[in-house]
């Protein structure tokens, strides 16, 4: 996790989170069996064995979509008492632990039906100006009507380690909606 020396604490935290989310989302896609296991290869991230998509388009989709979050995440408020760097040992230990425990999360080990679809979504109260970030243009505001139906949420993991607190969960259609599908 190399960071720019002149990066603000908000920028550092956002960069760490984007990098981490890319690995975590790939892990979820692998664990849910969306693609055959041969579509992934073992790699190391923060000294934890993780899966990386072999197919360049899948890898690009996850990378570009999560990288597109960077301008939005840079608006995060970072606990200033933490200091000027997010390279803390506690944060790295928490992120490693989070990744290691993903693979044994019971809710993730249940495979999805073969005809399932998945997407990466981001929910924001306000959309900040994206400026010149080409990746931010991947994020398209949607009609809020699709979010009016209650979703069934499966908590996966949560973590609290300065300067980041993270909750990871999977959203499913509500039970009444899934019976119609």
């Amino acid at each position: 996790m190399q960071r720019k020396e002149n990066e603000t604490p908000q920028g550092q935290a956002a960069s760490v989170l984007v990098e981490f989310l890319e690995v975590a989302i790939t892990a979820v896609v692998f664990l849910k069996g969306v693609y055959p296991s041969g579509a992934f290869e073992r790699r190391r991230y923060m000294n934890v064995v993780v899966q990386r998509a072999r197919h360049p388009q899948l890898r690009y989709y996850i990378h570009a979509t999560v990288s597109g979050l960077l301008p939005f995440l840079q608006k995060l408020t970072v606990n200033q008492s933490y200091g000027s760097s997010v390279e803390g040992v506690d944060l790295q230990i928490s992120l490693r632990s989070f990744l290691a425990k993903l693979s044994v999360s019971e809710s993730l080990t249940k495979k999805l039906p073969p005809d399932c679809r998945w997407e990466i979504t981001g929910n924001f109260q306000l959309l900040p100006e994206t400026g010149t970030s080409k990746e931010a243009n991947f994020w398209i505001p949607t009609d809020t009507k699709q979010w009016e139906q209650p979703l069934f949420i499966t908590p996966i993991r949560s973590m609290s380690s300065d300067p980041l607190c993270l909750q990871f969960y999977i959203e499913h259609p509500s039970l009444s909606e899934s019976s119609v599908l």
Side-chain angles (χ1 to χ4, degrees):
M1 289 192 301
Q2 285 193 327
R3 305 286 161 241
K4 299 174 189 167
E5 287 182 29
N6 60 350
E7 201 171 24
T8 66
Q10 287 87 351
Q12 288 179 348
S15 295
V16 167
L17 187 55
V18 163
E19 184 179 274
F20 172 77
L21 285 174
E22 185 175 342
V23 174
I25 289 170
T26 302
V28 170
V29 171
F30 171 78
L31 291 168
K32 292 304 282 182
V34 177
Y35 301 105
S37 61
F40 298 89
E41 59 189 2
R42 292 168 55 110
R43 294 289 176 124
R44 284 200 172 275
Y45 175 74
M46 288 201 273
N47 211 22
V48 173
V49 175
V50 297
Q51 298 295 324
R52 179 179 151 199
R54 286 185 175 176
H55 196 284
Q57 289 176 321
L58 175 58
R59 195 167 53 237
Y60 174 77
Y61 170 71
I62 295 171
H63 173 76
T65 304
V66 175
S67 294
L69 286 171
L70 190 58
F72 305 110
L73 295 175
Q74 287 173 332
K75 309 295 183 196
L76 292 174
T77 303
V78 174
N79 182 354
Q80 296 300 318
S81 66
Y82 186 70
S84 62
S85 174
V86 295
E87 295 294 326
V89 172
D90 290 342
L91 177 61
Q92 288 188 11
I93 290 170
S94 294
L95 292 175
R96 275 197 302 265
S97 172
F98 192 102
L99 285 173
K101 291 177 182 175
L102 269 182
S103 63
V104 294
S105 295
E106 184 179 330
S107 54
L108 285 178
T109 56
K110 296 175 185 167
K111 300 294 183 193
L112 294 173
D115 61 343
C116 72
R117 294 181 302 148
W118 68 280
E119 64 184 10
I120 300 170
T121 60
N123 298 317
F124 304 96
Q125 291 181 349
L126 294 173
L127 289 176
E129 294 297 319
T130 57
T132 59
S133 172
K134 138 182 129 168
E135 288 86 8
N137 293 329
F138 283 122
W139 292 95
I140 302 168
T142 61
D143 185 1
T144 57
K145 289 179 185 168
Q146 77 181 43
W147 304 108
E148 289 175 1
Q149 295 294 324
L151 295 171
F152 180 71
I153 294 177
T154 303
I156 303 299
R157 189 95 180 94
S158 59
M159 173 197 97
S160 181
S161 178
D162 282 336
L164 297 174
C165 294
L166 181 66
Q167 292 180 332
F168 204 63
Y169 57 89
I170 295 178
E171 293 179 349
H172 309 271
S174 66
L175 295 176
S176 61
E177 201 177 318
S178 61
S179 62
V180 173
L181 300 175

